[in-house]
Every structure is written in structure tokens, then in C-alpha cells.
Amino acid sequence: MRNIETDAVVIGGGATGAGILRDCALRGIKAILVERDDIANGTTGRNHGLLHSGARYAVTDGRSATECIAENRILKHIASHCVEETGGLFLTLPEDDLAFQDTFITSCTAAGIETKKLSRDQALKLEPNANPGMLGAVRVPDGTLDPFRLSSSNILDAVEHGGQLLNYTKVVGLIIEQGVVKGVNCVDMKTGEALAIRAQQTVNAAGIWGQQIAEYADLSIKMFPAKGSLLIMDYRINSMVLNRCRKPADADILVPGDTVSLIGTTSKKVPYEDIDTIKVDDDEIDLLITEGEKLAPILGKSRILRAYCGVRPLISVSGDTSGRNITRGIVIRDHKETDGLPGFVTVGGGKLMTYRLMAEMTTDLVATNLGSTACCVTSEKKLPGAARGEHSLPVKVSVPVSASARYRHGERSDGFLNESSKSQAVICECEMITRGELEYAINKLNARSLVDLRRRTRLGMGPCQGEVCACRAADVLQESLSVKGEVNVANDLDEFLQARWKGVLPVLWGDALREADFTYWTYQGLLGASSLKQIKHMDEEVPDYEV
Ligand SMILES: Cc1cc2nc3c(=O)[nH]c(=O)nc-3n(C[C@H](O)[C@H](O)[C@H](O)COP(=O)(O)OP(=O)(O)OC[C@H]3O[C@@H](n4cnc5c(N)ncnc54)[C@H](O)[C@@H]3O)c2cc1C
């Protein structure tokens, strides 16, 4: 068994864990993040990516609204490459109560959220695909937030300041000695190797899985898993976030995200034991389309690219199991205070867009417990890539290619855009991703598979869903990693296509069905995908065979 020592070990590589790793590193606290899969593989990679202005919560939860608008402004400053300042409209439709508009505006003002009342015509001028039957709209500073870029930028900055990421490393137990948590026992999910990480502070940032981590210490943290499903359209229907001007309900947010639009979400309580096997149900798809059409009628005629779902990590604050005391706010527990178990801290609840605040509050606690007086700097210090436009060098690639790279990686794209003509070759046309960008993700952002590359670059997330780019990207991965024996590309391509297929399956009709059929015949008929595993077999049996 391998042994490592550190000051703090953080469990869970979602936005919250990534934010804590960065905060620790910037305060000079030696920290390691362990994630059982890849970063942003949990709920962080399964939401709308809405940078709330707080307006959605203004009427029902003033505290969350105030938190949101403060973090909204901070993220626009520190993570501009992950944020699109689209603005948002809250539409009042004929079946909604127009009187609610005034309550909404008053509550927004009380929370410090700027609003502007618009007539139907003014709103349609801003958003031509919005429902022309609307009675009016209110403009708010909503935006979008890319959860994948956000997580990987936090990790990149942490690593550049001494932090360490161990992805594909699962926590299988806590090290507890004389009533004190002294770290975690882990397993390397790729090699099966056991690993013990000893630390003075162990942070449980495992989201909805935090309940399982707490159970390793016989502690009870009651999660209330609420599943939410979403659909992705194959183009950007709307340029601003569209919401319904009413109390939050199902399927009332249409969010533009990079090259596509997302409609969400449903909310269904699911048994805790089902959290790893949830899937999108047919009735949810019907509901999302029916309600989505009300926000933008064109949605009903659009091709649906895929469906996906996530589970909100909601915690019961009082240990009550009835569900009455569930909070959407941030919950932090120092188990030394609440359960007499020093060395162990749990963070949960909150939102993607409050990840930084959650990280700040958690790291404050960790720092105090470690006797560190270093202050948090994450509300001011920009993430790597957020200096978009500030240091950009002239490049010899076309504007769509350079602009896409800069949009995703800011000033960090200067290096790979100028590297060589080989690195400038476009691999994914939907998202304008070059070979150099993929190599950057492999070498600097810890991508080890095609699915990892998807999370860091949007490979295969556009309209073709990987049909055209997957085999080319596999070639880049092969060249970069297989020399070191780190990847079996044949298996990896298979996993990538299966993951894409999983999201397409629930919406398999019309154009989506035709496209899926085309993909199938491209990979199966043209490239012989089913024989790829055989190639892997040959490689293993004839190790010195070279081509
Ligand atoms: C449908 C839906 C829509 C949403 N929309 C929005 C939105 O638009 N805007 C917004 O701000 N928020 C939104 N949210 C909320 C937001 O997505 C979550 O609050 C946030 O992503 C939680 O991040 P996290 O890092 O705390 O948890 P997670 O992202 O779930 O991270 C926990 C990590 O822990 C890892 N882990 C689990 N067990 C172990 C183990 N044993 N060892 C090691 N690692 C482990 C998991 O693999 C996972 O990666 C939405 C949520 C849902 C479900």
C-alpha cells in the first residue's frame, strides 16, 4: 500500500471540491483532492449551467438570492472564460399572474438584483424566439456558467500553487484513530492499488455521495435526493436565459450554452439507493417539451440532441427525516463540534454558482483547525484563462478557430494556437477544437480519455455528438498517451460512443434517430468498431508488434 501525508485531503472533484483545493493551495495549505472518476463527473456536470442572478429565488428565498447576486458578480470577474453574460428574461405568459411581476421586482430589489420591466415588443426584440403571446417580461443579470471549464480551471490553478489532484481514486474508508479522523483509505480505480492518505483535516465534499462518506465514520447525514432531468437542443434557440415569471416550477428555464440550448428541469424525489442508476423518464421528456414550447414555441420543432439528469445534493439541516427541513442553502459541519469527531468536515447543499463561497467557508474552517491565519483571496484572484483578451497574441488560424479557443481557455490558448501547423488542425468542427487544444487538455488539464477530453474542451458536445470527431480525437489521444501505456484507445473510443449513445437513447425519434443510425453505420459499417476490441487483444498478445 502506498502512503501519502498532507495537511488536508478533499473528497470529491465537483466544483465544490475543486474550489476547496484551490482555496487551500492559495493559502499555502498542502492539500490533495481525491475523485473516484473524473472531475465534474457528478452533479457538477449534470445541471443547466445557469449563472443565477438570484432572481429565481428572490420571492421564495431572499438569502439564496442575495448569495447568488454576490457570487454572480464575483464569477464574472474571476472566471470570465467560464461565464457568458447573456442576461435573462422572466416572461409572464397568458396563464401566469401578471400581478406577480411587481412582487418579483420588489423582491429582486430587496436582494440587490437589478431589474428592468420590458413590454412584450421590447422583450421580443431582444429575444425573437420567445413566446410572442407573452404579456411582458423583466430583464435580470442572469448568465451561463460552464461547469467543466470552471472545475478544471480551479484544479489547474490549485496544481500551479502546489495542490494535487488524484482522479480515478475512490475513497473506501476513513482512517480513524483514537476518535480522530486522520485521513482516507483509497483505491486507484485504474490499477486497483490501495492508497492511504494521512491528513490533519479530511473534507467531505462528495455532494450527494457525502452521506456514504459520513457513514464510514458512523455519522448520519441525511440527503434528500431530488432528480432533475434536462434536454439539449441542437442549436442555440435563445441568446438570453428565459425563465417563467412565477414561483419556481418544473421545466421553466431555457438556457443557452455554447452552441446549444438546454431546457430544464424536472424535480422528482428518488430513493437514496438509486442515485447511481437514475435515468430520464418518458413523462419527464414530455413535460420538458410541453413546458419548453411555452417559453419558446420553436423548441417543439427543434431536434433534441440528448437527455440527461442529475441529483441535487440537498441536506436535511436538523436531521429530520420528514423532508420539511431540507435546505437549498449551504450546509457546513465541523464534526468536531456536531459529533465530537475532530479532523472531519462536511460541506453540502448550495449550488454550482455558489461553489466559491462554499469553498471559502469550508477552507476558513479547515485553516482555523490547522492554525493557519492566511486569508481567502479567491473573490479577487482570477482563474487561469480568465485574462481573456488581455494577453492574446496574434495567431495564424482563422477567427472562428482562435475565437473558440480563447473563449474556452482565454490567455492559456496562446501557447497551443501558435505551436505548429500540425497542432492547428481542426479535429472537432462543431466546436472548432484543434489538435493543439486536445494536447493542452491532455498535458495540462489531466485528461486521460476521450470522455475527459469532452469535459475539458466540449469535444463531441455539439450537433454531431462526436460522430465526426471521435475517431480523429482518438488518434490524438493514442499518440499522446499510449506511448506511456496509459490508455487503450480502442476501449476508450467504445466508452466514449457508449456515453454519447446513453444520452441519445431517450430521445430517439425523427432527426435524432436518423443521425444515430448514420453514426452507427459510420462506426460499425465503415470503421468496423465492433472489431476494435479484437485489436486490443492482438496488442496484448503481441506486445512488440509495431506498425
Ligand atoms: C438538474 C439540476 C440542475 C441544476 N442547475 C443548476 C444551475 O443551473 N445552476 C447552479 O448554480 N446549480 C445548479 N444545480 C446544482 C448544482 O449542480 C450542484 O449544487 C453542484 O454541482 C454540486 O457540486 P458538488 O461539487 O458539491 O457535488 P458533485 O459535483 O456531485 O461532486 C461530488 C463528487 O464526489 C465524487 N465522489 C463520490 N463518492 C466518492 C468517493 N467515495 N471517493 C471519491 N470521490 C467520490 C463524485 O464522483 C463527484 O464527482 C443543479 C442541480 C441539478 C441536479
Side-chain angles (χ1 to χ4, degrees):
M1 183 194 287
R2 225 165 20 115
N3 286 287
I4 310 182
E5 291 220 2
T6 186
D7 294 338
V9 60
V10 184
I11 308 165
T16 310
I20 297 169
L21 184 73
R22 177 181 189 234
D23 203 330
C24 283
L26 294 179
R27 295 191 209 204
I29 297 170
K30 219 171 131 195
I32 296 177
L33 173 64
V34 274
E35 163 56 51
R36 65 179 182 174
D37 198 279
D38 185 31
I39 56 167
N41 162 70
T43 315
T44 294
R46 296 164 176 279
N47 53 60
H48 300 90
L50 170 54
L51 181 77
H52 291 276
S53 57
R56 184 169 171 80
Y57 306 108
V59 175
T60 52
D61 181 355
R63 187 176 168 173
S64 284
T66 314
E67 256 167 29
C68 284
I69 188 63
E71 289 303 304
N72 173 302
R73 290 179 186 132
I74 290 172
L75 292 180
K76 282 173 180 167
H77 169 66
I78 66 155
S80 58
H81 62 310
C82 307
V83 168
E84 216 188 314
E85 296 191 36
T86 59
L89 293 178
F90 277 73
L91 312 181
T92 303
L93 301 185
E95 61 260 54
D96 300 332
D97 177 11
L98 191 56
F100 185 78
Q101 233 190 27
D102 289 334
T103 314
F104 174 76
I105 291 172
T106 310
S107 306
C108 284
T109 309
I113 304 160
E114 58 273 34
T115 55
K116 190 171 180 204
K117 207 172 188 173
L118 301 176
S119 68
R120 169 189 167 277
D121 289 351
Q122 285 171 320
L124 281 174
K125 211 165 178 184
L126 286 172
E127 197 51 76
N129 278 335
N131 189 337
M134 75 174 99
L135 305 176
V138 182
R139 187 179 182 155
V140 299
D142 276 351
T144 67
L145 180 62
D146 186 293
F148 304 106
R149 284 202 286 280
L150 185 71
S151 305
S152 79
S153 293
N154 272 276
I155 303 263
L156 177 61
D157 205 29
V159 170
E160 289 180 349
H161 289 86
Q164 195 183 345
L165 166 71
L166 296 178
N167 53 354
Y168 299 105
T169 304
K170 183 175 179 176
V171 170
V172 291
L174 296 174
I175 304 170
I176 305 176
E177 290 169 358
Q178 286 146 0
V180 179
V181 175
K182 294 276 179 75
V184 292
N185 285 315
C186 309
V187 173
D188 183 320
M189 301 302 281
K190 299 266 185 199
T191 63
E193 188 192 9
L195 170 70
I197 305 174
R198 299 187 72 85
Q200 295 176 56
Q201 290 285 298
T202 298
V203 180
N204 175 9
I208 192 71
W209 298 273
Q211 179 174 321
Q212 294 167 4
I213 301 294
E215 280 165 7
Y216 291 139
D218 288 331
L219 299 178
S220 168
I221 291 184
K222 276 282 161 247
M223 294 283 181
F224 283 85
K227 179 183 74 161
S229 296
L230 301 101
L231 301 178
I232 307 183
M233 307 298 137
D234 76 334
Y235 68 108
R236 252 175 106 115
I237 291 177
N238 46 327
S239 57
M240 300 174 81
V241 178
L242 298 183
N243 294 262
R244 289 281 285 277
C245 194
R246 61 177 186 188
K247 285 199 180 150
D250 278 357
D252 59 356
I253 316 179
L254 183 61
V255 184
D258 289 89
T259 50
V260 295
S261 284
L262 326 170
I263 179 75
T265 167
T266 53
S267 184
K268 273 188 180 178
K269 188 166 186 296
V270 290
Y272 190 79
E273 50 281 13
D274 292 353
I275 58 172
D276 286 314
T277 52
I278 52 161
K279 59 179 187 50
V280 181
D281 299 324
D282 290 350
D283 61 325
E284 292 180 294
I285 295 175
D286 289 345
L287 179 82
L288 288 163
I289 296 172
T290 315
E291 289 299 310
E293 270 185 300
K294 293 181 185 167
L295 282 167
I298 199 167
L299 186 145
K301 298 193 188 78
S302 305
R303 176 184 146 211
I304 301 169
L305 269 189
R306 56 193 292 111
Y308 64 103
C309 53
V311 186
R312 294 176 186 83
L314 305 181
I315 299 183
S316 161
V317 276
S318 64
D320 162 39
T321 51
S322 71
R324 283 190 304 278
N325 289 312
I326 304 168
T327 177
R328 284 180 186 242
I330 300 167
V331 177
I332 297 179
R333 283 196 188 160
D334 185 347
H335 295 285
K336 178 180 66 182
E337 304 300 333
T338 55
D339 307 283
L341 187 65
F344 191 43
V345 170
T346 292
V347 53
K351 296 173 192 63
L352 169 69
M353 67 155 306
T354 55
Y355 89 95
R356 191 211 62 81
L357 179 63
M358 292 166 78
E360 176 177 345
M361 291 161 76
T362 311
T363 313
D364 280 349
L365 191 58
V366 168
T368 306
N369 290 344
L370 289 170
S372 161
T373 51
C375 293
C376 177
V377 292
T378 59
S379 62
E380 283 299 325
K381 192 178 180 308
K382 287 186 178 182
L383 285 160
R388 185 164 49 181
E390 286 174 26
H391 307 288
S392 297
L393 299 172
V395 286
K396 289 192 188 125
V397 290
S398 68
V399 171
V401 174
S402 62
S404 299
R406 288 203 168 124
Y407 171 76
R408 285 189 286 269
H409 305 286
E411 79 286 357
R412 298 285 169 129
S413 60
D414 284 351
F416 63 77
L417 280 174
N418 281 314
E419 216 162 64
S420 65
S421 52
K422 187 178 175 190
S423 79
Q424 290 166 346
V426 174
I427 303 293
C428 165
E429 282 90 352
C430 296
E431 303 290 336
M432 290 290 167
I433 301 164
T434 59
R435 183 183 189 97
E437 184 174 344
L438 295 181
E439 287 168 347
Y440 168 72
I442 294 166
N443 296 327
K444 297 281 179 196
L445 306 180
N446 231 318
R448 287 292 169 274
S449 67
L450 289 172
V451 179
D452 294 2
L453 282 173
R454 172 175 69 76
R455 295 196 187 100
R456 285 154 184 79
T457 65
R458 287 189 61 78
L459 178 86
M461 281 170 128
C464 95
Q465 289 288 290
E467 179 182 280
V468 183
C469 60
C471 52
R472 294 184 201 150
D475 177 52
V476 179
L477 197 68
Q478 165 87 17
E479 224 178 86
S480 303
L481 289 181
S482 67
V483 186
K484 302 178 205 158
E486 285 187 43
V487 69
N488 182 310
V489 172
N491 270 8
D492 203 56
L493 184 59
D494 186 56
E495 273 171 28
F496 179 81
L497 293 171
Q498 291 300 337
R500 296 288 79 194
W501 170 243
K502 199 174 145 199
V504 176
L505 195 59
V507 292
L508 214 48
W509 66 82
D511 285 343
L513 176 58
R514 277 187 281 278
E515 189 78 35
D517 208 25
F518 185 63
T519 306
Y520 174 82
W521 284 109
T522 305
Y523 280 88
Q524 194 63 18
L526 220 57
L527 303 176
S530 63
S531 58
L532 287 174
K533 292 228 162 114
Q534 224 177 323
I535 294 171
K536 174 199 159 210
H537 189 62
M538 270 178 55
D539 280 345
E540 280 169 356
E541 285 191 346
V542 195
D544 55 352
Y545 177 75
E546 280 183 29
V547 284

